[in-house]
Amino acid sequence: MTEGEHSMEDRARIFAPVLAQVKRLADEGKPVAIAIDGRCGSGKTWLSGLIGDRFPCNILHMDDFYLPFGRRAQGWEAVPGGNMDFRRLRDELLIPIRAGQAAVYRAYLCPEDRFGEARLLPVRNLTVVEGSYSRHPSVGEAYDLTIFLTCSREVQRRRLAQREGSRYAAFEERWIPMEENYFRCFDVEGTSHMVVDTGGAY
C-alpha cells in the first residue's frame, strides 16, 4: 500500500461521521449551511473538497473574504477576525443562500489587494463555508452544522512546513497566534457540533 492510498483510507475513516451528518442534512431537501473551522493545516480545504465530491453543493472559502488592507482598523492583528469581512459573507451570501436564492460575490485577491470577477452561486440546498474565522459571531446563527478540525502542534508544524515552504515562518510568527486567539475568545472548538482530530489522516 502506498502512502497516498493509506492516507485516503485514513481520511475516509476519520471523516465518516462528518459525511454521515452532511448526508442527513442534505436529505432534508431544504437550504442548509455548514461551517468547517479549525487550525491551519488541519485539513479544512481537503474536507470541503471531499464533501463537494460526494454532494451537490456550493463551497465558499474564507480566504475570499479578507478585508482589503485599506479597510482594516488600526491594530487589526490584535482583534480576533480583524482581517475578515464578515458582513459581506453574511449579507451577500449566507442570508440569500439560506433563503433559497442565488447569490453573487467577488473574491478578494489578497496578494493583489483587489477583488476578482463576479461569481454566481447557483441555488443549491447545501453550502459549505470552510476556513478559519467562519464561526465568528459576526456571521450570526448561520449554520446548521459546525465542524472544528484540529491536530497537534507537532503535526501542524510538519504539514505547514511541507505546504508553505519559505512562507512557513509567517504562520509561526503571525497567523497561528491570531487563530489561537480567535479560538480562545469565542470558544470555537467547544461550541462546535463536531470536533475531529485529523492527526492520523495524513
Side-chain angles (χ1 to χ4, degrees):
M1 180 180 294
T2 67
E3 182 179 354
E5 290 171 343
H6 182 73
S7 295
M8 291 301 293
E9 278 191 3
D10 287 342
R11 293 182 193 188
R13 171 180 54 81
I14 287 172
F15 291 126
V18 171
L19 295 175
Q21 289 300 313
V22 174
K23 183 179 187 305
R24 177 185 63 80
L25 289 172
D27 288 346
E28 291 181 359
K30 63 181 183 180
V32 297
I34 296 169
I36 305 174
D37 207 321
R39 294 183 164 86
C40 54
S42 61
K44 299 182 293 296
T45 303
W46 195 92
L47 175 57
S48 70
L50 178 64
I51 293 172
D53 287 341
R54 301 198 179 194
F55 304 94
C57 65
N58 290 317
I59 299 177
L60 298 173
H61 304 285
M62 289 301 294
D63 286 357
D64 292 342
F65 295 94
Y66 284 116
L67 273 171
F69 290 102
R71 290 179 51 200
R72 298 182 191 183
Q74 185 174 4
W76 63 268
E77 291 176 309
V79 178
N83 55 333
M84 309 302 297
D85 194 339
F86 299 111
R87 178 179 297 178
R88 191 162 66 90
L89 172 64
R90 182 189 66 223
D91 295 350
E92 294 184 9
L93 292 168
L94 290 176
I95 290 177
I97 283 169
R98 290 181 61 84
Q101 302 168 2
V104 177
Y105 78 106
R106 297 168 64 201
Y108 175 65
L109 309 176
C110 192
E112 303 169 42
D113 194 24
R114 67 176 181 87
F115 289 96
E117 297 298 320
R119 301 180 185 179
L120 172 67
L121 288 185
V123 176
R124 286 180 174 160
N125 283 339
L126 180 62
T127 296
V128 178
V129 182
E130 75 84 17
S132 297
Y133 307 107
S134 58
R135 290 278 322 283
H136 193 279
S138 295
V139 178
E141 298 297 323
Y143 302 112
D144 302 274
L145 176 65
T146 55
I147 304 157
F148 187 88
L149 301 188
T150 188
C151 59
S152 69
R153 285 286 287 126
E154 179 182 355
V155 169
Q156 184 183 52
R157 289 189 188 99
R158 172 173 57 80
R159 290 175 179 172
L160 291 177
Q162 292 173 348
R163 188 184 81 186
E164 301 297 335
S166 62
R167 299 183 299 177
Y168 170 67
F171 281 81
E172 284 288 343
E173 296 168 5
R174 172 182 285 188
W175 304 121
I176 291 176
M178 287 175 60
E179 276 189 356
E180 293 298 327
N181 185 39
Y182 154 69
F183 298 147
R184 284 191 302 271
C185 284
F186 302 118
D187 190 21
V188 181
E189 181 173 357
T191 58
S192 294
H193 293 122
M194 304 184 74
V195 177
V196 181
D197 188 329
T198 67
Y202 57 100

